[in-house]
Amino acid sequence: MAGKIRVLIVDDAAVVREALSSILASDPQIEVMATAGDPFIAAARMKEQIPDVITLDVEMPRMDGLTFLKKIMTQHPIPVVMCSSLTAQGSETALRALEYGAVDIITKPQLGTKQFLEESRVRICDAVKAAAQARLRPTGRPSLTVAPKLTADAVLEKGSSRALVQTTEKVVVVGASTGGTEALREFLLQFPADAPGIVIVQHMPENFTAAFARRLDGLCRLSVKEAADGDSVIRGRALIAPGNRHTLLKRSGARYYVEIKDGPLVSRHRPSVDVLFRSAARYAGKNAIGVIMTGMGDDGARGMKEMKEAGAATLAQDEATCVVYGMPKEAVKAGGVDLSLPLDQLAARVLQLER
């Protein structure tokens, strides 16, 4: 079992513990160390052995997930992935958990088609692997590989942007994953109310993106909303791609707008950064500014290279400020990044490029 990621599953529902155990055990890089029905049992398990990652239910009797998370982060920081049901209350609580130090959110496994269950397995296992690489974890675990995956060709074929460069209006496209919710908050807080239009893919389950957008909208000077099909990309507005749907930037004349569509997982994700970036390369070309942030894997690396080849300006969050330096690293390796900057300098650079 040496080298495997040891996971402690904490959930009051036996059926969820069983489902998560089965899903995680199917991955050869993961070991389910133990399960616990509540935080008190979990604490006892942790006295016997410290896990590499904890999956933690949001709502539990005796002690809720947020309270236990706070105790973990103050007493013995361990990467925590919140496991939430698809409810409005659960979404808000899970988002608060990210602010308190949780690494990611997954939705509780549900019965469905074979494809649905396989996609859930991919998302859950990838979230645990990403958490194991998060910066609060002790270093030393070897880098984890990512299985073969579909490219943006599955949603949008590669095309030319040469006929669509007449407008001077700039548009910003952003991709982020693990650690991205807090990175995006810091990034967007630096923009003025008349900032250029922004479209964001943050890897996050459906139903959570709407709550995330509302939370950012209450903090930022620019307007933030979950993207809906046909929404215009305009100055002073940031659109968050809805969970479990691909989001593409499109253009009609001088007007940019988004298209929301279904499709397979691309680069193991839906929404996919590669899909958004490819659409920006095709429909915005040199009028686009691409930003890739913290996250595991390589979603966005190909799309960012296509953006650069189309004449767009491309930026990456630097290694020192990433929770997981995966996506930016792969984009740099692919030759798609003009400049890597600390998180707190990205927005200022975007505004310089826009001017």
Side-chain angles (χ1 to χ4, degrees):
M1 306 301 286
K4 291 195 175 188
I5 300 167
R6 297 166 301 168
V7 181
L8 171 61
I9 297 169
V10 186
D11 197 294
D12 64 311
V15 65
V16 174
R17 296 197 300 273
E18 182 179 349
L20 279 175
S21 294
S22 177
I23 288 169
L24 293 174
S26 71
D27 191 301
Q29 295 176 317
I30 299 172
E31 171 196 357
V32 178
M33 183 193 86
T35 66
D38 64 43
F40 294 95
I41 299 172
R45 299 278 190 271
M46 290 166 65
K47 289 180 180 178
E48 300 169 1
Q49 188 178 15
I50 299 297
D52 297 312
V53 177
I54 297 171
T55 69
L56 180 60
D57 189 10
V58 172
E59 298 164 333
M60 291 178 290
R62 294 221 289 172
M63 182 187 292
D64 65 271
L66 282 184
T67 302
F68 189 48
L69 174 66
K70 291 177 184 177
K71 290 181 178 293
I72 293 169
M73 291 303 163
T74 56
Q75 296 175 8
H76 195 299
I78 295 170
V80 173
V81 176
M82 301 305 293
C83 185
S84 176
S85 57
L86 290 173
T87 64
Q89 181 179 350
S91 299
E92 292 290 346
T93 304
L95 287 174
R96 284 204 302 276
L98 293 174
E99 296 176 3
Y100 296 159
V103 175
D104 210 343
I105 305 170
I106 57 175
T107 52
K108 291 190 176 185
Q110 301 175 46
L111 295 177
T113 64
K114 182 178 180 181
Q115 178 183 348
F116 177 86
L117 290 171
E118 175 58 24
E119 289 182 356
S120 294
R121 188 193 73 79
V122 168
R123 290 167 177 161
I124 290 168
C125 291
D126 280 359
V128 166
K129 291 177 184 179
Q133 295 188 45
R135 286 192 173 272
L136 54 81
R137 169 189 72 77
T139 57
R141 184 175 301 282
S143 178
L144 298 171
T145 58
V146 179
K149 51 186 126 27
L150 295 176
T151 70
D153 291 331
V155 177
L156 176 69
E157 64 180 16
K158 190 174 182 180
S160 171
S161 63
R162 287 178 294 178
L164 293 171
V165 296
Q166 293 86 355
T167 182
T168 58
E169 187 70 21
K170 296 287 188 180
V171 61
V172 182
V173 289
V174 183
S177 188
T178 310
T181 54
E182 289 303 290
L184 284 168
R185 180 179 62 83
E186 181 173 340
F187 177 71
L188 292 177
L189 279 170
Q190 297 181 54
F191 282 99
D194 64 343
I198 302 172
V199 184
I200 298 166
V201 164
Q202 162 69 48
H203 295 156
M204 184 177 282
E206 58 187 314
N207 291 13
F208 291 87
T209 43
F212 180 50
R214 287 194 301 270
R215 183 171 290 264
L216 289 175
D217 187 59
L219 296 171
C220 300
R221 285 173 286 180
L222 74 169
S223 168
V224 184
K225 73 179 291 287
E226 183 184 56
D229 192 47
D231 273 350
S232 293
V233 181
I234 57 175
R235 298 193 72 85
R237 173 193 279 179
L239 298 175
I240 308 288
N244 206 34
R245 305 287 302 281
H246 289 302
T247 295
L248 291 77
L249 178 72
K250 290 294 189 75
R251 184 171 150 199
S252 176
R255 170 182 171 258
Y256 291 111
Y257 65 98
V258 292
E259 179 184 357
I260 311 299
K261 64 189 298 182
D262 295 320
L265 299 182
V266 171
S267 298
R268 301 173 72 90
H269 295 283
R270 187 175 55 242
S272 164
V273 182
D274 267 329
V275 170
L276 174 62
F277 283 4
R278 170 169 288 186
S279 68
R282 181 169 179 176
Y283 293 103
K286 67 180 183 181
N287 294 310
I289 300 170
V291 182
I292 193 161
M293 293 182 170
T294 176
M296 191 186 89
D298 64 358
D299 188 24
R302 295 179 186 86
M304 180 156 272
K305 188 171 189 295
E306 291 174 15
M307 287 184 65
K308 184 174 180 180
E309 290 170 348
T314 55
L315 305 173
Q317 185 179 351
D318 71 354
E319 181 174 7
T321 60
C322 282
V323 172
V324 178
Y325 187 58
M327 286 162 46
K329 178 182 178 181
E330 294 302 320
V332 170
K333 283 173 57 179
V337 176
D338 292 329
L339 183 65
S340 294
L341 290 169
L343 174 60
D344 62 3
Q345 296 180 25
L346 285 172
R349 183 58 178 167
V350 168
L351 292 171
Q352 288 175 357
L353 290 167
E354 192 261 340
R355 288 194 292 267

